[in-house]
Amino acid sequence: MRIALIQPGLGFGGAKRQRALACLRPTALAVLAGATPPDVEVRAFDDRFEEPPYDQEWDLVALSVGTFQARRSYEIAARFRRQGVPVVLGGFHPSQCPDEAGLVADAVAIGEAEVLWPQIVEDARKGRLQATYRQDARADLATTHPDVSIFSDKKYAPVNVIQFGRGCQHNCDFCSVRAFYPEGLRHRPVREVVEELERSKERWTFFADDNLCGHPRRTKELLREIAPLKKRWTAQTSLDFVDDPELLDLMVKAGCQTVIVGLESLNPGTIDQMKKGWADAGEYARKLEIVRDRGIMVYATFVFGYDADDPGIFERTYQFAMEQKFFLLNFNHLNPFPGTPLYHRLQAEKRLLLDRWWIHPDYRFGNAVYEPRGMTTQELTDGAFAIRSRVHGYPSMIRRFLDRRTNAASLANALTFALVNIGSRQDILSKHGRPLGREEELPDGLQGVCAR
């Protein structure tokens, strides 16, 4: 039996594929490969920089689908099915929109892959795939053993991608993580993660956790174990890790180079509406100073477009970003992802301009798809793109680089800053305004699905 595991790209209207400088290997495919019976041949393909293997013989094709990749995933699925190859779609998006995904797939997996996958493979082997596979119970992460050997022929960034925990203890209004993992945060055994790090040849590691420091006691256990490995690593975390001095000390000793922090907004009204009650925008500067004093670079993310935001929020945020000399920045307008409280609220208030924006023919990457309260939809779209472009302009990049405590503290930090920021600039300028998918028409079965 031969199975193709595919990481879909965004398509961008058929634009030439271009490998990003910071293209990381997709952990979901490694998890599937690790859960595949040993007598099955399994290969991985990445649509972001290579053509899917339409010209080969397969017994099953599986795609892990996010909302932005949905349209492209449906195109890939439709083409394989026209060739008589059964297709299964799983991941965040099909789990929230199973009826939609089922229009273009032989099977839809709802829930976590490692629990469902062995049964899907067995059913495909016997030619009796079910239309839907559902797993509502939590997966036992002690049984999760990703197989990264499937990436041996790929040229990803030289970064080890590993996951310690899944989910987040917070429940932000806009976040799709809690919609997929409603039970909150759980972890793999510390020893298994350490052994995986010991086997990796990469000097740098990215923890693909949604919030590495969400459970401080468990995180401390991990950090004590990995400190002797002398790895340099990056992780996503909420800023409240600064309030635990012991945790901060351990992060430094264990090799933390960068933290990705969702600051989201400088507007207290926006923070409240996001349901980020633990965050205090008035404390950001003080806490960030503590992080920089420890030599840790900060990648900050912000979201615009909640009801308390007005057009002035863009300039205020830009000035704050320059003052803080962030290693990297990401500015997004609100994207209402299916299954989130935000999506349901905007839908109920009839403020969505495109219900299924992810497959709508009028959608373009970077466009706001709802009616804000404090500005127009176009002002939100233009403002978010303008600040992204401005902060990644070379004068702004140079200003941010000039922090000898972090970004310019060492040759390694300086090189990382340059490569990642140039790659991010390239990504921003090449994506904006492009349609999702590679084909003009939606696959058969999806015609007429978009309500508006």
Side-chain angles (χ1 to χ4, degrees):
M1 184 179 189
R2 299 185 75 231
I3 298 177
L5 305 178
I6 300 178
Q7 172 64 39
L10 298 180
F12 292 136
K16 183 180 178 180
R17 289 181 175 87
Q18 188 171 5
R19 190 191 306 267
L21 291 174
C23 188
L24 302 179
R25 63 195 191 200
T27 56
L29 302 193
V31 169
L32 289 179
T36 303
D39 65 326
V40 175
E41 180 186 350
V42 58
R43 292 188 60 192
F45 300 89
D46 199 320
D47 179 59
R48 291 176 292 180
F49 55 79
E50 62 184 347
E51 182 76 2
Y54 301 119
D55 58 347
Q56 300 181 35
E57 296 290 331
W58 303 101
D59 298 296
L60 182 67
V61 168
L63 294 94
S64 179
V65 186
T67 297
F68 274 104
Q69 294 82 26
R71 178 161 179 160
R72 177 58 183 151
S73 298
Y74 298 160
E75 293 172 355
I76 295 171
R79 181 161 175 183
F80 276 110
R81 294 181 80 204
R82 286 196 297 269
Q83 297 174 195
V85 181
V87 174
V88 57
L89 300 178
F92 272 42
H93 188 79
S95 293
Q96 298 302 327
C97 301
D99 293 341
E100 175 190 287
L103 296 173
V104 291
D106 296 278
V108 177
I110 305 170
E112 294 181 274
E114 58 266 66
V115 179
L116 300 168
W117 185 242
Q119 186 62 54
I120 293 172
V121 173
E122 185 62 22
D123 287 353
R125 195 198 301 260
K126 296 178 179 178
R128 61 182 191 193
L129 271 178
Q130 302 173 42
T132 302
Y133 294 84
R134 179 184 293 273
Q135 174 61 39
D136 295 320
R138 298 168 15 148
D140 180 3
L141 298 190
T143 64
T144 298
H145 303 291
D147 180 4
V148 299
S149 68
I150 60 172
F151 305 127
S152 60
D153 62 336
K154 312 295 181 195
K155 293 183 179 180
Y156 290 108
V159 177
N160 180 29
V161 183
I162 192 169
Q163 189 175 58
F164 176 43
R166 288 184 190 170
C168 182
Q169 79 277 23
H170 300 309
N171 192 15
C172 298
D173 176 67
F174 61 88
C175 186
S176 59
V177 170
R178 196 59 181 265
F180 192 73
Y181 302 118
E183 72 285 342
L185 183 61
R186 64 196 192 281
H187 295 87
R188 294 173 61 194
V190 168
R191 179 37 40 188
E192 288 189 7
V193 176
V194 174
E195 290 173 354
E196 191 173 332
L197 280 168
E198 289 173 338
R199 291 193 299 270
S200 70
K201 298 178 181 179
E202 294 88 355
R203 180 74 175 84
W204 278 269
T205 295
F206 174 68
F207 282 100
D209 296 42
D210 302 299
N211 188 348
L212 181 68
C213 300
H215 192 305
R217 181 181 62 80
R218 296 298 307 276
T219 306
K220 291 174 185 178
E221 292 177 21
L222 175 70
L223 297 178
R224 293 188 185 101
E225 290 289 323
I226 69 173
L229 303 181
K230 304 299 181 183
K231 301 283 188 179
R232 298 283 283 172
W233 52 270
T234 296
Q236 301 176 94
T237 178
S238 48
L239 191 57
D240 47 8
F241 80 92
V242 178
D243 298 326
D244 188 331
E246 181 187 19
L247 177 59
L248 183 57
D249 286 343
L250 284 170
M251 290 175 69
V252 174
K253 292 176 182 177
C256 179
Q257 181 183 35
T258 310
V259 289
I260 304 171
V261 178
L263 299 181
E264 315 307 5
S265 181
L266 303 179
N267 191 331
T270 294
I271 294 292
D272 290 341
Q273 194 175 13
M274 288 178 177
K275 297 184 179 178
K276 289 175 70 80
W278 70 94
D280 182 353
E283 285 285 288
Y284 285 171
R286 182 186 67 83
K287 291 185 176 184
L288 291 167
E289 190 75 7
I290 294 172
V291 178
R292 287 202 304 274
D293 280 343
R294 306 308 298 272
I296 298 175
M297 300 191 292
V298 178
Y299 174 178
T301 67
F302 292 87
V303 175
F304 304 114
Y306 269 94
D307 294 348
D309 286 345
D310 58 37
I313 190 64
F314 302 111
E315 182 62 26
R316 295 194 295 273
T317 305
Y318 175 80
Q319 294 302 330
F320 180 78
M322 292 300 100
E323 292 168 5
Q324 298 302 318
K325 293 184 172 61
F326 290 116
F327 157 67
L328 191 64
L329 287 135
N330 196 358
F331 300 104
N332 292 304
H333 56 69
L334 272 179
N335 277 309
F337 289 102
T340 62
L342 171 69
Y343 186 89
H344 294 313
R345 177 167 56 82
L346 292 176
Q347 190 176 50
E349 294 172 355
K350 301 187 184 305
R351 293 168 61 189
L352 285 177
L353 301 176
L354 304 174
D355 277 351
R356 297 179 188 259
W357 53 266
W358 49 89
I359 58 173
H360 200 287
D362 292 342
Y363 177 75
R364 297 294 181 269
F365 189 87
N367 285 4
V369 296
Y370 71 99
E371 297 176 348
R373 298 287 195 206
M375 64 186 91
T376 67
T377 302
Q378 193 62 50
E379 284 177 323
L380 179 56
T381 294
D382 293 345
F385 179 64
I387 191 173
R388 279 196 295 268
S389 302
R390 186 179 178 191
V391 83
H392 284 89
Y394 290 114
S396 296
M397 284 166 51
I398 292 170
R399 284 181 61 188
R400 289 188 289 110
F401 173 73
L402 296 176
D403 185 346
R404 295 192 176 185
R405 290 175 295 174
T406 57
N407 305 331
S410 66
L411 180 60
N413 281 14
L415 289 174
T416 301
F417 181 96
L419 288 173
V420 173
N421 275 273
I422 291 172
S424 182
R425 172 186 168 85
Q426 169 193 329
D427 196 50
I428 288 166
L429 297 179
S430 64
K431 285 182 176 180
H432 187 75
R434 291 190 175 274
L436 301 182
R438 297 187 71 83
E439 301 172 9
E440 290 187 10
E441 299 293 330
L442 284 169
D444 292 342
L446 288 173
Q447 302 291 340
V449 168
C450 300
R452 285 184 286 178

